[in-house]
């Protein structure tokens, strides 16, 4: 009998409603899901399906209207904002499609910025391992304007991983990348889960990207309508097609 992996994060009966004038929009509708530690999960869905809202609530970037948001033993839904900020700083990493790099800082300075803001000493060996794995060792002294889009995205990934977060949230991380660079990034995220035990949660609309995950969740109208383990590109394309039909 196999033993279930411990849970890194979970939501229970999560609902997010946005008021819009006289009406309201339910972006996430009573979703419950648990994400295992050391797993790589893709969240898919068409535009407006609620996938980014779900991720933002799971990451503590947005407050749910109802329900629970669990990161380890912490329920972010009921914590004051200052405490939520501390959990995000200490336990969560973020990779956004917009790289959010500071233009006046070098690549290395952008990577270690979260450590400096928290007053944490930079582990040079850990930093070297990350930048070497991401192929950035010869770009650390460059500013963002001197880097390609793929290099900027890899700097953003290094910044998300340098704090050794338990959970990394990635919002369309390959959306602005060519196929070769995107594939290299997906392989690195895959290895971060498989070899380093980090939990990766990625929002994507791309079946190719989602096929690198251990699990794929499909959202439609704020609800989970598909949940695939070890998804293949063909399975994901079929699921996307059935949702779009």
């Amino acid at each position: 009998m196999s033993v279930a992996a411990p849970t890194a994060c979970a939501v229970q009966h999560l609902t997010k409603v946005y008021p819009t004038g006289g009406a309201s929009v339910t972006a996430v509708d009573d979703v419950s899901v648990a994400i295992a530690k050391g797993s790589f999960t893709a969240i898919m869905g068409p535009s407006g399906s609620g996938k980014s809202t779900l991720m933002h609530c799971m990451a503590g970037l947005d407050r749910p209207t109802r329900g629970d948001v669990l990161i380890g033993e912490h329920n972010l839904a009921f914590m004051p904002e200052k405490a939520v900020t501390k959990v995000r700083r200490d336990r969560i990493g973020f990779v956004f499609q917009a790289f959010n790099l500071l233009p006046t800082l070098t690549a290395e300075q952008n990577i270690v910025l979260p450590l400096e803001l928290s007053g944490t000493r930079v582990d040079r060996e850990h930093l070297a391992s990350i930048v070497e794995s991401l192929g950035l060792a010869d770009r650390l002294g460059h500013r963002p304007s001197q880097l390609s889009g793929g290099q900027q995205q890899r700097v953003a990934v290094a910044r998300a991983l340098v704090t050794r977060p338990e959970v990394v949230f990635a919002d369309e991380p390959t959306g602005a990348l060519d196929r070769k660079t995107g594939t290299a990034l997906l392989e690195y995220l895959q290895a971060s889960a498989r070899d380093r035990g980090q939990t990766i949660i990625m929002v994507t609309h791309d079946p190719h990207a989602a096929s690198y995950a251990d699990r794929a969740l499909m959202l439609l109208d704020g609800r989970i309508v598909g949940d695939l383990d070890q998804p293949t590109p063909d399975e994901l394309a079929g699921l996307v097609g059935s949702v779009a039909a």
Side-chain angles (χ1 to χ4, degrees):
M1 178 175 156
S2 61
V3 178
T7 299
C9 59
V11 295
Q12 297 171 350
H13 301 293
L14 179 74
T15 297
K16 179 64 181 181
V17 179
Y18 292 105
T20 56
S24 61
V25 174
T26 300
V28 180
D29 188 5
D30 194 32
V31 168
S32 296
V33 67
I35 308 296
K37 285 186 178 180
S39 65
F40 185 1
T41 301
I43 301 177
M44 302 186 69
S47 178
S49 63
K51 58 185 184 296
S52 290
T53 300
L54 175 59
M55 188 192 77
H56 290 167
C57 288
M58 292 179 78
L61 295 172
D62 200 356
R63 293 277 188 171
T65 305
R66 294 183 295 277
D68 299 309
V69 179
L70 306 173
I71 297 288
E73 71 278 13
H74 300 287
N75 191 339
L76 304 188
F78 296 98
M79 294 171 63
E81 189 57 37
K82 187 174 181 179
V84 172
T85 299
K86 187 176 188 303
V87 172
R88 287 200 306 261
R89 185 190 69 201
D90 296 344
R91 306 182 71 164
I92 296 173
F94 301 96
V95 182
F96 299 104
Q97 185 174 356
F99 311 131
N100 295 335
L101 303 179
L102 295 182
T104 59
L105 300 184
T106 65
E108 180 172 357
Q109 289 168 333
N110 269 286
I111 292 169
V112 302
L113 184 61
L115 296 173
E116 294 190 348
L117 292 175
S118 65
T120 304
R121 183 183 63 85
V122 177
D123 182 334
R124 307 304 301 188
E125 185 176 346
H126 179 55
L127 174 62
S129 174
I130 291 174
V131 300
E132 184 67 31
S133 297
L134 287 169
L136 292 170
D138 62 345
R139 292 292 184 267
L140 293 182
H142 292 63
R143 288 183 170 80
S145 62
Q146 299 170 306
L147 301 173
S148 68
Q151 289 166 345
Q152 290 182 53
Q153 184 63 295
R154 281 179 277 154
V155 170
V157 171
R159 181 182 57 192
L161 296 176
V162 75
T163 59
R164 291 189 173 94
E166 297 172 28
V167 186
V168 175
F169 291 93
D171 192 358
E172 298 279 8
T174 62
L177 305 180
D178 60 66
R179 179 58 65 96
K180 181 179 178 181
T181 304
T183 296
L185 177 57
L186 291 165
E187 290 174 346
Y188 186 82
L189 293 175
Q190 190 179 57
S192 294
R194 182 186 63 235
D195 302 333
R196 303 176 187 92
Q198 289 179 298
T199 304
I200 311 295
I201 300 173
M202 174 181 71
V203 164
T204 183
H205 67 279
D206 181 5
H208 170 75
S211 70
Y212 282 81
D214 307 316
R215 180 187 186 189
L217 304 173
M218 176 65 72
L219 262 69
L220 181 66
D221 297 330
R223 289 179 174 268
I224 295 176
V225 296
D227 188 345
L228 297 177
D229 284 325
Q230 305 301 325
T232 66
D234 288 344
E235 288 175 331
L236 290 164
L239 185 58
V240 170
S242 67
V243 167

